């Protein structure tokens, strides 16, 4: 079967996490992704958080599947010429260098357009145009400046960052969408364009509901579904909502059997309005279904704390999986808090290719997250990440370089 992006060639000038997330997705959809790394060193993550001496780290291998690796010194004049040849041959250049780094290499937007007017140049930066546009940014900085940290955590504690890499991987996802959209538009315009995904913007996009709540707060002074209501006070900005659910269906994390010893023996429980009567039956509070203090969503809002305490009395008598099974019978939305160990061992995730075992010549077998986006006509086969410079000769030959020229470029340190 063919692949959705099989005619697309990507010059992958990315490193660390945000850019590589994007190009890995494009590779999974069939694009030929040629990762350009610094001669002799490579992507810094190859040796970060290493668990096996001398082997590429899981950090690197899990973000660079299905790519080819070439090493080119972009600051060497002859290395620059190789890059120019690549720019002429590729459809997209993806980069997430610090602001200005690509220009300092001599590859300004104008120069790239001169070399290849059809080229799409896609960048991840920390910020868009404005006072911070020159700043370097990492994941947690993006979470802080994008509104995630100020709205995450409990009201009586400090801001908290989340384990989901919404700044890096989240922005990589945004960039990938921008790239395929630009490729689509190029079909009619014949022109390339610049695609920018700023990490602050990407995080803010994922925090959209919190900007909604900011405006509701300014208008009404109170948000009835937040745990601060009715006893706490609201300030000028959206407060941290603990484990409250983001929408109009109140939810909370509740203890399950074994919580004293198991840090993940919890379940997320949503008191969805249409199944309120069923919830009352399951937890043995049948009278709440008709009691005017509990019967309607609006009446329940001031009592959410008591309601969840009562539901928790029930969930604590069941394991999280038992509770899930019982609640699902009644269509009550809930979800066990799964540990990474449980997720890694979950057979259904292996079956769908969401968790994949990959073999690597140096590190051996390891688990990775496969393509989370499934296309029926473009199936993904996850192949291992490349060794540093593994495909330099192959790609140079495709660019038309003779073996003697390749040997010369190696001697002068251009590749
Ligand atoms: N040949 C020669 N030089 C190369 C090269 C190559 N193949 N690849 C990279 N370099 C050079 C760059 O040209 C740059 O040189 P100058 O500083 O002289 O311009 C230098 O390597 C360092 O690049 P950098 O500034 O991007 O890297 P850093 O480690 O200092 O910063 C990061 C890393 C992530 C903070 C920065 O790249 C950044 O802000 N990127 C944009 C936002 C982003 O993607 N952040 C998420 C990262 S994932 O957590």
């Amino acid at each position: 079967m063919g692949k959705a992006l099989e005619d697309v060639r990507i010059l992958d000038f990315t490193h660390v996490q945000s850019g590589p997330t994007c190009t890995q997705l494009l590779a999974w959809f069939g694009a030929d992704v040629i990762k350009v790394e610094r001669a002799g060193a490579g992507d810094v993550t190859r040796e970060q958080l290493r668990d096996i001496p001398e082997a590429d780290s899981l950090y690197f291998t899990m973000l660079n599947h299905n790519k080819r690796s070439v090493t080119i010194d972009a600051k060497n004049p002859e290395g620059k010429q190789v890059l120019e040849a690549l720019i002429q041959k590729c459809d997209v250049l993806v980069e997430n260098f610090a602001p200005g780094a690509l220009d300092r290499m001599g590859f300004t937007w104008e120069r790239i357009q001169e070399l290849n007017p059809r080229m799409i140049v896609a960048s991840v930066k920390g910020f868009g145009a404005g006072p911070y546009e020159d700043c370097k940014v990492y994941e947690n900085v993006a979470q802080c400046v994008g509104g995630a940290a100020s709205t995450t955590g409990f009201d009586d504690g400090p801001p908290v960052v989340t384990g989901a890499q919404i700044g890096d991987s989240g922005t990589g996802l945004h960039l990938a969408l921008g790239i395929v959209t630009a490729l689509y538009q190029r079909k009619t315009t014949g022109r390339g364009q610049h695609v920018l995904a700023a990490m602050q913007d990407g995080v803010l996009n994922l925090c959209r509901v919190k900007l909604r709540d900011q405006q509701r707060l300014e208008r009404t002074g109170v948000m009835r579904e937040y745990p601060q209501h009715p006893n706490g006070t609201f300030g000028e900005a959206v407060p941290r909502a603990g484990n409250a659910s983001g929408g109009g269906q109140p939810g909370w994390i509740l203890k399950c059997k074994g919580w004293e010893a198991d840090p993940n023996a919890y379940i997320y429980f949503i008191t969805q309005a249409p199944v309120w009567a069923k919830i009352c039956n399951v937890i043995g509070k049948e009278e709440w279904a008709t009691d005017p203090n509990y019967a309607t969503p609006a009446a329940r809002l001031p009592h959410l704390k008591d309601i969840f305490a009562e539901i928790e009395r029930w969930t604590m008598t069941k394991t999280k999986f038992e509770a899930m099974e019982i609640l699902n019978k009644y269509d009550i939305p809930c979800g066990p808090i799964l540990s990474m160990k449980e997720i890694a061992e979950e057979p259904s995730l292996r079956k769908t290719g969401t968790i994949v075992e990959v073999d690597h010549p140096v590190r051996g077998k390891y688990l990775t997250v496969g393509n989370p986006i499934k296309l029926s006509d473009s199936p993904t086969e996850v192949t291992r990440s490349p060794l540093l410079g593994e495909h330099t000769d192959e790609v140079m030959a495709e660019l038309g370089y003779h073996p003697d020229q390749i040997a010369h470029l190696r001697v002068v340190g251009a590749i």
Side-chain angles (χ1 to χ4, degrees):
M1 201 180 279
K3 293 282 162 67
L5 297 181
E6 64 193 356
D7 297 331
V8 177
R9 199 172 291 121
I10 313 264
L11 197 174
D12 180 9
F13 232 150
T14 69
H15 64 158
V16 205
Q17 186 181 164
S18 62
T21 301
C22 165
T23 51
Q24 177 169 258
L25 277 168
L26 301 175
W28 281 337
F29 291 134
D32 177 13
V33 175
I34 302 168
K35 182 166 173 115
V36 175
E37 297 179 79
R38 210 193 302 230
D43 188 327
V44 68
T45 60
R46 283 188 186 266
E47 54 184 45
Q48 273 178 3
L49 310 176
R50 260 193 179 144
D51 56 328
I52 300 174
E54 308 302 321
D56 285 335
S57 71
L58 287 167
Y59 195 1
F60 177 84
T61 53
M62 290 177 73
L63 286 162
N64 289 285
H65 294 105
N66 297 61
K67 303 180 185 178
R68 300 197 279 171
S69 165
V70 301
T71 48
I72 302 174
D73 182 351
K75 290 182 175 161
N76 176 305
E78 292 187 68
K80 272 192 212 304
Q81 284 171 10
V82 178
L83 274 169
E84 290 181 359
L86 267 172
I87 289 169
Q88 281 164 330
K89 204 163 169 152
C90 289
D91 300 284
V92 188
L93 185 159
V94 191
E95 64 93 19
N96 68 312
F97 292 125
L102 200 62
D103 290 355
R104 286 193 289 279
M105 280 179 196
F107 294 107
T108 59
W109 165 250
E110 293 73 22
R111 177 69 187 132
I112 293 170
Q113 289 300 290
E114 213 172 82
L115 291 163
N116 179 359
R118 286 175 59 78
M119 170 144 275
I120 290 155
V121 179
S123 307
V124 171
K125 294 289 167 262
F127 295 90
Y132 305 119
E133 65 189 30
D134 292 329
C135 298
K136 288 184 176 182
V137 168
Y138 282 105
E139 171 68 47
N140 288 345
V141 175
Q143 290 196 24
C144 292
V145 299
S150 71
T151 53
T152 303
F154 288 88
D155 203 22
D156 56 358
V160 173
V161 294
T162 160
Q165 303 287 282
I166 57 177
D168 279 340
S169 289
T171 308
L173 268 162
H174 283 88
L175 191 71
L177 177 60
I179 290 169
V180 290
T181 306
L183 281 167
Y184 189 76
Q185 192 174 13
R186 194 180 70 171
K187 280 181 188 289
T188 46
T189 63
R191 279 197 313 274
Q193 61 181 301
H194 189 222
V195 180
L196 170 68
M199 294 169 77
Q200 181 183 38
D201 301 3
V203 171
L204 178 57
N205 185 33
L206 300 176
C207 289
R208 178 173 295 264
V209 297
K210 298 297 179 181
L211 184 57
R212 172 200 68 193
D213 289 350
Q214 179 63 35
Q215 295 171 85
R216 292 172 57 224
L217 178 66
E218 283 167 16
R219 185 152 297 131
T220 65
V222 65
M223 285 181 295
R224 292 190 165 74
E225 80 285 12
Y226 271 57
Q228 288 79 359
H229 174 74
N231 304 318
T233 50
F234 287 88
E236 286 188 345
V238 174
R240 293 185 263 291
N243 288 319
S245 80
Q249 308 289 350
W252 202 254
I253 289 185
L254 306 176
K255 291 171 184 158
C256 290
K257 198 184 206 171
W259 66 274
E260 300 90 338
D262 176 356
N264 294 307
Y266 289 82
I267 193 163
Y268 199 94
F269 193 109
I270 296 181
T271 56
Q272 194 207 13
V275 289
W276 176 243
K278 292 178 187 173
I279 295 171
C280 297
N281 279 342
V282 169
I283 64 168
K285 294 290 281 184
E286 290 83 356
E287 65 277 18
W288 276 1
T290 48
D291 182 334
N293 282 325
Y294 295 90
T296 65
R300 287 194 287 280
L301 287 177
H303 310 297
L304 284 180
K305 239 185 172 157
D306 301 338
I307 289 171
F308 284 121
E310 193 61 43
I311 299 173
E312 191 171 61
R313 268 192 271 284
W314 178 82
T315 56
M316 281 167 71
T317 66
K318 311 275 179 266
T319 68
K320 61 188 176 186
F321 295 113
E322 287 166 353
M324 170 94 170
E325 204 178 322
I326 297 167
L327 297 170
N328 271 329
K329 275 192 206 137
Y330 299 101
D331 261 350
I332 299 167
C334 62
I337 307 305
L338 295 183
S339 68
M340 267 303 149
K341 185 173 189 314
E342 287 164 334
I343 289 171
E345 291 165 0
E346 171 56 47
S348 66
L349 293 175
R350 302 283 183 108
K351 229 173 165 178
T352 57
T354 297
I355 302 261
V356 186
E357 190 175 79
V358 182
D359 205 359
H360 185 277
V362 185
R363 63 172 305 113
K365 289 191 164 61
Y366 65 95
L367 286 186
T368 194
V369 183
N371 192 347
I373 305 165
K374 323 286 191 218
L375 268 62
S376 61
D377 264 3
S378 180
T380 298
E381 297 141 50
V382 179
T383 60
R384 69 167 175 86
S385 58
L387 303 175
L388 180 60
E390 185 175 346
H391 305 95
T392 305
D393 286 54
E394 182 181 297
V395 170
M396 295 295 289
E398 286 169 15
L399 289 173
Y401 284 86
H402 186 271
D404 293 344
Q405 291 173 297
I406 299 175
H408 161 77
L409 290 170
R410 198 158 266 138
V411 169
V412 300
I415 60 169

